[in-house]
Amino acid sequence: MRRKASVFKELIALVIKIAVILLLFVVAFTFIYGFHMVHDPHMSPMVNDGDVLLFFRLSRDYDIDDLLLLNFEGERQVRRVVAQAGDTVDITDHGLIVNGSRITEPRIFQDTWRLETGVQFPLTVGPGQVFVLGDARQTAIDSRVYGPINTSDTLGTVITVIRRRGM
């Protein structure tokens, strides 16, 4: 009889441990981290349609060149930070100009152009805002259209890209 009670107690302890681990996993991926499957071609080749992103929800302190996740008109977008609060952004025939200096971006393979519609340049990024661009500069809908974004309106920083095509 004692042996059955001991096995039952161990089984209950195991179930409790599994439940606690599952609860911690759910809390972590509900409030701290998140996953997002990309359905947006405007970050190619860094992030492609079908990739899965792991993003960190708690930090809104973005650095230049960070990838962040945001909502625009109900669609989630991944965009690259090119200017922070206080920076002056301009787009000329020479490309992207931040604080009077032409920015060379080794990961970007297309020229940065002004769009026909959108914000007027030059512009200064306000407090608590960032200016973001898509890597596919010729087709991306980004801050050239909707202007600088409030960091409080973003979803988080992309911390890893999981290539899922072909799986």
Side-chain angles (χ1 to χ4, degrees):
M1 230 20 208
R2 274 197 180 288
R3 184 171 162 105
K4 280 188 175 181
S6 175
V7 170
F8 183 71
K9 283 183 180 178
E10 288 181 26
L11 186 59
I12 293 297
L14 178 63
V15 168
I16 290 172
K17 288 177 186 176
I18 291 171
V20 167
I21 290 170
L22 287 174
L23 179 66
L24 289 174
F25 184 79
V26 167
V27 167
F29 284 96
T30 301
F31 300 108
I32 301 172
Y33 299 100
F35 286 105
H36 171 66
M37 181 181 286
V38 176
H39 299 290
D40 178 6
H42 302 297
M43 285 301 291
S44 182
M46 180 66 178
V47 179
N48 294 304
D49 190 30
D51 289 348
V52 176
L53 306 176
L54 175 64
F55 64 97
F56 183 64
R57 298 176 192 266
L58 298 182
S59 176
R60 299 293 193 274
D61 186 23
Y62 301 111
D63 291 323
I64 301 297
D65 210 39
D66 279 353
L67 297 181
L68 60 82
L69 190 62
L70 62 102
N71 276 324
F72 176 68
E73 295 182 349
E75 297 285 326
R76 285 187 173 185
Q77 295 182 342
V78 181
R79 296 295 181 260
R80 184 176 305 280
V81 176
V82 297
Q84 299 170 307
D87 290 341
T88 300
V89 178
D90 197 2
I91 298 176
T92 67
D93 293 338
H94 301 291
L96 177 63
I97 310 293
V98 177
N99 296 329
S101 298
R102 183 175 186 272
I103 303 300
T104 56
E105 300 170 287
R107 293 188 199 106
I108 308 303
F109 303 110
Q110 298 177 356
D111 293 331
T112 305
W113 299 335
R114 286 188 186 191
L115 301 177
E116 294 292 322
T117 61
V119 298
Q120 299 297 313
F121 291 99
L123 65 83
T124 301
V125 181
Q129 294 182 324
V130 290
F131 192 89
V132 296
L133 294 175
D135 287 355
R137 299 288 165 85
Q138 294 176 354
T139 59
I141 297 170
D142 49 32
S143 286
R144 294 175 293 174
V145 173
Y146 46 74
I149 57 166
N150 294 323
T151 56
S152 60
D153 295 337
T154 63
L155 301 172
T157 306
V158 174
I159 56 177
T160 193
V161 178
I162 303 164
R163 305 282 182 204
R164 102 172 212 7
R165 292 171 312 282
M167 293 178 124

